Amino acid sequence: MIVLALLVVQQTAAPPSSRAYWQQEVAYQIQARLDEPNGVLGGTERIRYTNRSPDTLTAFSLHLYLNAFRPGSRWADADSAEGRRRFNDLRDPDFAFNHVRNVRIMGSPVQGTYPFAPDSTVVRFALPRPLPPGESMDVEMGWDARPSTLPRRQGRQGRRFDFAQWYPKVVVYDRYGWEEHPLYPAGEFYGEFGSFIVDLDVPEDQVVGATGVPVCGDPGWAGANRNRAEPVEYQRDYYGPRTPPAACDGATTGRKKIRWYAEDVHHFALSLNPDYRYEGGRFGDVAIHVLYQPGDEGTWGNGTAVERTETALTWLDKLYGKFAWPQITNVHRIEGGGTEFPMMIMNGSADQGLIVHELGHNYTMGILANNEWREGWLDEGFTSFQTTWFWETLGRGGSYEQTEAGMLTLDLDDSSEPASLVSEAYRDFTSYNISIYSRGELFFHQLRYIVGDATMHRILQTFYQRWKLKHVDEAAFRAVAEEVSHRDLSTFFAQGLHTTDLYDYAVGRVRVRRTERAERTERWVTQVEVAVIAQRDTGVTRSDGSAEREWVEVETSSKPKRVVLDPRLRTHDWNMLNNQRRVGGLLTRIFGSDRKVETYFHPYFSTRSRRDRLTAGFHPTLWYNDAGGVTIGIRLLNDYLGRFEQNQTLLTRSTGWGAKDGPEDNDFFFRLRNPVGLRAPNLSQTFDAFNFEGRYGAALNLERSRRAHLSFGPTWTGSASLQWVATDDVRYLDRGLYDAASTVEVQLGSGVKNRSGSWTLGLRGSAGGGLTYNRSGLVASGRPDLDPFYFRGFVEGTARRSLGPTLGLSLRGYVGVASGEHTAAKQRQIYFQGADPLAQLYNPFLRSRGALLVGEDFHYQVPGGAGVRGVDSRVSAAAIAALNLEVERTLVSHPDAQLFNRIALAVFTDVSHTLGGSVQPLTGDRIRFLMDAGLGLRAEHRIGDTRFTTRFDLPLYVSRPELAQDRNPSDDKFEFRWTFSFEPAF
């Protein structure tokens, strides 16, 4: 028997409301005529409103939602603030509108006010007299509505119309009062349940899909039916004696009238298109109507969409309960993606997952009607969860793992927000989507993990049966979940929905005498599975999660070997490296590792990353330089989560093979990067120690990034570094790049990247200083003028923009300074061609004399410095200002390809000038101005997880040919020269 203690801290959440439930009663009678040439639907509306609340009402409000899709609305302004120029740029007749006129309440004319002006998505009226509880009133008006030509949850395109939120819609009055709320990109809708009689007058060739059933008139389904063997089921008498009388006569020539009726719905949607194709089906007593576009026969037609809709209904009825309405209409809308409405889903494709998701909304949002802008997680998170569960039942997992990993990344960066915020309170639209969809889904998965599949199923069915066709909220769902599961879930709901806390379960000290302790480093309450793996069996139990500390007993019939917390990876525990512990004697404790490690052969271009274990990839290394000859070695690369424990160990030996009198050295490189114990949001820590190829030293680097928004706005970075590089064997050093001196340098850096209109802009810089020394004195370095102290810094700005579908412009400005009283050591000067030698220190193909990419027959350019790519890599100065320009034209683009994603031609020029001046060894004179220009070829690749660019440049013009990288004594300014690189120029 093994005993485990689990440290748990209990928090409290507000209890569910004890107020009796009520909802208002609404009945709509709408007359609507489509003016097709102008895209306007208009007519009259009569609302019978019954006050079922305990309050006496003195006001009445309507939503005019289509006014969101026009200039000046809250929606349009939110779009513009996030860099999406959409509805603020529309002009008449492209923008949408929704008007009311001649409004009469209780028989008296009233004037509306717009409480969120200039936004006009809500209009409010003062009642002519108070409306007491239990009393009813009539509201009458004229109205018109026009969708926008830019589709977003509605739209029009020629004779196609997707009418959503098109009629003056009653604002919900609930326990919070009138839920007046402008429509924003983040957040959707909230409506009162009611009945609808909609009399529609449209051109006679229009094919119509809608909420409800057609009481009379021809929606066009029979004429559009592609399966003549399957007669259309109109369900005209579904509502029995409550069905309103037929009233479809009197249409003018070329037009028709259709009367629609629906009960117990909180919205009425329409879609019209004379080219719609129709196919029908049935699930029990639910009719299925599918309307698709010409050309969709292979993706929607031949029963495909009908069958997938039936599959979704089968799953959802089993999960929740019987569908509450007579029909479901699935239409191929103008816009991509999908949007849900009662009895109707408008989809951009017939994908099975999309249908399950959007049809799931008819249960969670439609029948279980939450306030979508106040608690969006309760429908979006809910239906995302059930969609993932649907795929799991078919053996297609992986969606949960992707969702959880994405949320964990944001949590670790402190970039996530709780699922429970009001929609417009999120930082931006991206954060809103992630929070209510992904974090909401994760909450339901964790609830399912806590209570188990069978209990979760009972919770959903009980919730559905008790609350169908009512307004629901967190308190209602939590009450059902606690009742069915017999658990206090208050803390779980509070933390899962209202915080973004990170938490870390850990196995503590192991006592061989059958005791085991499991602890957590942050406070979080949820159940966690505890598995004890023994010689012949495995025991599994769960902590209860209800006490500050609890002991869990696990029985095994054989000797325990290992204790594992959360073996199914369902608790969202961010650090799972401490979730297991070996059980054994002294030798096990001394030599055994508690961390689970996955060892593999590293294929050079792809590093494995795992959620629950450390990875360790091995591979051999091989390179050459003129001093050490052939160098062989072995490298170990670690990783956890793609961001932690990214450690590296490299052991090498210079064999001297191929080198004349070369040294035979044993070298090493160690890197410790982002240990889990030092986790901090957006902070990266790297420590290096090395002894290789005539140099030894260490480096410490801290980098921090921050951004206010996930999808727009600036990203700021800051860094601090300390680097010590000592030289002890000059045989490895290219004396055109190194003085025989050692350096210790400190740098502080910062930067920012942003997008402004069509431009992508970047600015970064660094400033610091260093100490130069030689163990035998600076005179021994060969530079008697060398100062022990120097300043070094740079500023770099970049700007990029597209000039068309295949043309792009890139600009770079650079100023670098490295100087004291005299010019700094050669390895710390500013280089005309590219990066300085210490920036190349960790690349064995570049760092030493005669390495593969710096041989006489290679003209490799490392981006950096002044970036004058046609110049010899050894030419440097104390200070340089430079300007680089490139224009690229894409010839081939295959983003999903492996070897060649993109191929492009380029023209470029690089211009530089020294600030001050110094004598150059190559010429013996001072360099002032250097320039090159030429043509280039770029190819972008992806091998494994690694993306890189092969860049081949022809600097055909160099202003100082005697300083060119590929030069002959007789060269003129215009000559054939070439350089290449595996990195972009900047």
Side-chain angles (χ1 to χ4, degrees):
M1 179 185 297
I2 293 182
V3 182
L4 299 97
L6 182 63
L7 180 63
V8 176
V9 178
Q10 179 71 31
Q11 296 183 0
T12 61
S17 172
S18 59
R19 297 177 60 180
Y21 177 80
W22 52 266
Q23 66 188 36
Q24 305 291 57
E25 182 180 326
V26 183
Y28 293 89
Q29 289 185 337
I30 301 173
Q31 304 284 330
R33 188 180 193 277
L34 178 62
D35 177 359
E36 197 173 271
N38 292 311
V40 178
L41 189 66
T44 61
E45 180 171 319
R46 185 175 185 271
I47 302 169
R48 182 72 171 174
Y49 186 89
T50 303
N51 182 13
R52 301 298 185 192
S53 79
D55 308 319
T56 296
L57 305 182
T58 59
F60 181 74
S61 299
L62 295 170
H63 290 294
L64 304 176
Y65 277 129
L66 287 186
N67 288 335
F69 308 107
R70 60 177 297 150
S73 70
R74 297 271 181 115
W75 179 305
D77 289 346
D79 267 355
S80 297
E82 298 187 18
R84 298 185 298 272
R85 298 295 305 184
R86 297 196 292 185
F87 300 107
N88 264 338
D89 294 336
L90 294 183
R91 297 293 178 263
D92 199 12
D94 294 320
F95 61 75
F97 61 66
N98 211 171
H99 303 132
V100 291
R101 59 187 179 274
N102 303 324
V103 181
R104 300 176 68 87
I105 298 180
M106 301 175 177
S108 300
V110 292
Q111 294 297 320
T113 60
Y114 293 86
F116 304 103
D119 181 278
S120 56
T121 54
V122 175
V123 60
R124 180 191 302 161
F125 303 93
L127 296 184
R129 58 183 180 275
L131 184 68
E135 296 294 317
S136 300
M137 67 179 179
D138 290 331
V139 182
E140 299 170 299
M141 72 198 76
W143 62 274
D144 58 14
R146 183 180 73 185
S148 64
T149 57
L150 179 63
R152 187 67 184 100
R153 299 179 184 160
Q154 49 77 49
R156 58 188 164 100
Q157 185 182 85
R159 300 191 65 198
R160 297 174 63 185
F161 297 88
D162 289 335
F163 280 103
Q165 313 295 339
W166 49 274
Y167 58 93
K169 179 177 179 178
V170 175
V171 172
V172 172
Y173 185 86
D174 62 15
R175 68 178 184 273
Y176 299 105
W178 287 104
E179 295 282 9
E180 296 176 334
H181 189 262
L183 186 60
Y184 292 90
E188 294 184 79
F189 309 102
Y190 186 35
E192 294 283 15
F193 282 97
S195 63
F196 287 79
I197 299 173
V198 178
D199 292 314
L200 191 61
D201 185 334
V202 297
E204 64 181 351
D205 64 339
Q206 280 285 5
V207 181
V208 185
T211 300
V213 298
V215 173
C216 64
D218 178 19
W221 300 342
N225 192 2
R226 287 296 179 267
N227 185 4
R228 302 295 182 178
E230 188 76 31
V232 175
E233 294 192 36
Y234 295 98
Q235 295 185 301
R236 300 189 191 274
D237 299 323
Y238 176 85
Y239 290 105
R242 301 188 305 278
T243 304
C248 295
D249 296 332
T252 59
T253 302
R255 301 185 68 85
K256 62 183 177 182
K257 291 185 177 181
I258 315 166
R259 168 165 280 196
W260 299 85
Y261 182 63
E263 290 182 354
D264 295 322
V265 295
H266 47 76
H267 183 56
F268 193 98
L270 291 168
S271 183
L272 302 86
N273 183 356
D275 293 327
Y276 269 146
R277 276 67 170 135
Y278 174 90
E279 291 185 14
R282 173 171 282 276
F283 172 74
D285 59 358
V286 178
I288 298 172
H289 308 297
V290 170
L291 299 172
Y292 58 87
Q293 306 292 332
D296 288 343
E297 287 76 12
T299 54
W300 284 72
N302 300 313
T304 299
V306 171
E307 181 180 343
R308 290 175 179 176
T309 305
E310 182 180 343
T311 297
L313 282 170
T314 302
W315 159 252
L316 294 163
D317 261 32
K318 178 181 178 182
L319 191 66
Y320 297 108
K322 180 177 171 55
F323 192 62
W325 295 318
Q327 63 92 6
I328 185 68
T329 299
N330 185 358
V331 306
H332 188 178
R333 69 176 184 176
I334 298 171
E335 188 184 8
T339 303
E340 67 282 355
F341 310 97
M343 299 193 215
M344 190 172 196
I345 53 178
M346 296 184 183
N347 285 337
S349 77
D351 175 77
Q352 180 70 80
L354 180 62
I355 292 173
V356 170
H357 180 98
E358 300 300 342
L359 188 47
H361 273 306
N362 268 254
Y363 294 77
T364 54
M365 185 289 295
I367 300 168
L368 299 167
N370 64 304
N371 183 335
E372 291 185 273
W373 55 262
R374 189 184 293 277
E375 293 180 317
W377 62 271
L378 196 49
D379 64 288
E380 296 296 354
F382 221 142
T383 201
S384 297
F385 159 74
Q386 65 84 12
T387 303
T388 298
W389 200 353
F390 166 77
W391 288 120
E392 286 180 9
T393 64
L394 299 181
R396 286 176 53 178
S399 178
Y400 167 82
E401 290 76 12
Q402 294 174 7
T403 299
E404 193 270 344
M407 287 309 311
L408 182 60
T409 296
L410 293 174
D411 290 347
L412 290 168
D413 287 338
D414 200 21
S415 296
S416 56
E417 295 186 274
S420 59
L421 299 184
V422 174
S423 61
E424 69 271 21
Y426 287 99
R427 288 191 301 265
D428 48 59
F429 185 59
T430 300
S431 185
Y432 157 80
N433 276 320
I434 292 171
S435 299
I436 69 162
Y437 284 82
S438 300
R439 185 171 291 282
E441 177 185 353
L442 187 63
F443 165 81
F444 287 105
H445 282 297
Q446 289 186 301
L447 177 60
R448 175 187 167 197
Y449 169 79
I450 290 172
V451 302
D453 285 5
T455 301
M456 186 68 179
H457 193 192
R458 291 198 302 274
I459 289 172
L460 300 186
Q461 291 186 322
T462 303
F463 184 49
Y464 184 78
Q465 292 301 322
R466 185 171 300 172
W467 285 96
K468 64 183 177 182
L469 304 178
K470 297 177 182 177
H471 292 138
V472 297
D473 57 15
E474 176 189 340
F477 180 66
R478 175 183 147 191
V480 170
E482 291 184 328
E483 174 190 322
V484 175
S485 67
H486 306 290
R487 299 177 185 275
D488 179 359
L489 298 171
S490 59
T491 302
F492 170 71
F493 271 71
Q495 293 179 314
L497 295 173
H498 301 277
T499 76
T500 59
D501 293 343
L502 281 171
Y503 46 97
D504 178 14
Y505 292 98
V507 179
R509 182 167 54 93
V510 175
R511 298 177 187 172
V512 179
R513 292 191 303 173
R514 303 188 304 173
T515 63
E516 170 69 31
R517 187 169 212 168
E519 299 175 350
R520 283 188 303 207
T521 60
E522 282 89 20
R523 297 182 174 187
W524 181 268
V525 178
T526 188
Q527 286 195 339
V528 58
E529 288 179 329
V530 183
V532 177
I533 301 173
Q535 288 179 333
R536 296 184 303 275
D537 63 328
T538 298
V540 180
T541 190
R542 291 188 178 207
S543 69
D544 182 70
S546 61
E548 180 176 342
R549 174 178 296 180
E550 68 183 87
W551 293 88
V552 179
E553 294 185 356
V554 183
E555 294 186 3
T556 62
S557 61
S558 55
K559 184 177 180 180
K561 292 293 186 182
R562 186 156 44 100
V563 177
V564 180
L565 302 183
D566 187 21
R568 292 193 294 154
L569 315 183
R570 283 296 188 271
T571 62
H572 198 53
D573 177 356
W574 80 266
N575 175 21
M576 304 196 75
L577 297 183
N578 53 18
N579 278 28
Q580 66 173 334
R581 178 61 58 90
R582 292 180 181 272
V583 179
L586 180 62
L587 292 179
T588 299
R589 294 197 295 270
I590 294 176
F591 297 106
S593 173
D594 290 325
R595 283 187 171 182
K596 190 175 183 180
V597 180
E598 179 179 323
T599 304
Y600 68 102
F601 177 80
H602 192 287
Y604 297 95
F605 291 98
S606 298
T607 298
R608 289 186 189 176
S609 179
R610 295 290 185 262
R611 180 68 179 87
D612 64 335
R613 70 197 71 178
L614 188 73
T615 62
F618 294 86
H619 60 216
T621 62
L622 177 69
W623 62 78
Y624 173 85
N625 59 66
D626 284 350
V630 174
T631 300
I632 59 175
I634 187 168
R635 178 185 284 122
L636 167 65
L637 295 145
N638 295 123
D639 184 271
Y640 177 59
L641 282 180
R643 62 189 297 160
F644 296 111
E645 303 295 340
Q646 295 178 309
N647 308 321
Q648 186 177 153
T649 300
L650 175 62
L651 303 176
T652 63
R653 177 168 178 78
S654 302
T655 66
W657 301 337
K660 180 181 287 187
D661 299 325
E664 298 182 11
D665 292 334
N666 294 316
D667 293 337
F668 66 83
F669 172 77
F670 298 126
R671 166 168 289 177
L672 178 66
R673 180 176 173 83
N674 295 339
V676 293
L678 298 180
R679 184 203 70 81
N682 303 297
L683 182 65
S684 175
Q685 315 107 338
T686 305
F687 174 75
D688 298 331
F690 56 88
N691 181 4
F692 49 52
E693 298 178 6
R695 283 146 291 197
Y696 61 91
L700 175 65
N701 187 58
L702 303 176
E703 296 182 12
R704 186 177 184 86
S705 64
R706 56 186 174 88
R707 54 181 177 173
H709 302 281
L710 296 176
S711 55
F712 68 96
T715 299
W716 299 88
T717 58
S719 64
S721 64
L722 172 64
Q723 184 182 52
W724 166 46
V725 180
T727 59
D728 65 350
D729 192 338
V730 297
R731 289 176 292 180
Y732 286 96
L733 308 182
D734 184 332
R735 299 309 298 272
L737 298 172
Y738 280 87
D739 285 320
S742 304
T743 59
V744 179
E745 183 173 303
V746 175
Q747 288 284 327
L748 297 176
S750 63
V752 61
K753 291 182 179 180
N754 197 10
R755 186 170 183 85
S756 178
S758 301
W759 290 94
T760 300
L761 307 174
L763 180 66
R764 67 187 184 103
S766 179
L771 168 67
T772 304
Y773 72 95
N774 185 296
R775 286 178 296 180
S776 301
L778 288 177
V779 174
S781 70
R783 285 275 308 280
D785 64 326
L786 199 58
D787 295 319
F789 298 101
Y790 64 90
F791 167 83
R792 195 173 199 280
F794 77 91
V795 176
E796 177 191 69
T798 58
R800 308 174 195 275
R801 67 162 297 167
S802 172
L803 300 177
T806 61
L807 205 62
L809 170 68
S810 299
L811 297 166
R812 173 181 181 260
Y814 173 85
V815 176
V817 178
S819 184
E821 186 175 344
H822 299 93
T823 304
K826 184 66 174 171
Q827 57 265 41
R828 302 315 295 134
Q829 293 177 20
I830 307 300
Y831 283 75
F832 281 93
Q833 193 225 46
D836 64 82
L838 296 194
Q840 306 173 43
L841 185 64
Y842 295 154
N843 190 332
F845 302 110
L846 294 170
R847 66 179 169 228
S848 295
R849 180 173 57 85
L852 178 62
L853 297 179
V854 295
E856 291 298 325
D857 295 328
F858 288 87
H859 308 295
Y860 193 83
Q861 193 246 345
V862 182
V868 185
R869 64 202 82 184
V871 174
D872 190 291
S873 61
R874 299 169 181 82
V875 181
S876 61
I880 306 174
L883 177 66
N884 314 102
L885 181 148
E886 281 197 359
V887 177
E888 284 190 3
R889 183 177 184 84
T890 299
L891 303 178
V892 177
S893 179
H894 297 295
D896 296 328
Q898 291 286 328
L899 192 56
F900 290 98
N901 303 138
R902 189 175 76 98
I903 299 175
L905 286 176
V907 295
F908 66 86
T909 184
D910 309 303
V911 182
S912 66
H913 199 287
T914 57
L915 306 175
S918 59
V919 175
Q920 291 299 316
L922 291 176
T923 62
D925 63 355
R926 297 181 185 274
I927 298 174
R928 296 293 185 186
F929 177 81
L930 267 178
M931 172 184 175
D932 68 7
L935 305 174
L937 179 68
R938 286 89 174 89
E940 296 178 0
H941 320 278
R942 183 182 67 185
I943 301 178
D945 297 331
T946 303
R947 292 183 179 272
F948 64 97
T949 298
T950 299
R951 175 167 54 87
F952 184 75
D953 286 326
L954 303 175
L956 303 177
Y957 172 82
V958 176
S959 63
R960 296 283 300 271
E962 70 275 18
L963 297 176
Q965 185 176 93
D966 179 17
R967 65 183 178 275
N968 291 304
S970 60
D971 281 353
D972 199 353
K973 294 180 179 179
F974 289 94
E975 294 287 349
F976 178 82
R977 307 177 181 91
W978 64 273
T979 67
F980 82 100
S981 180
F982 291 121
E983 301 174 77
F986 54 89

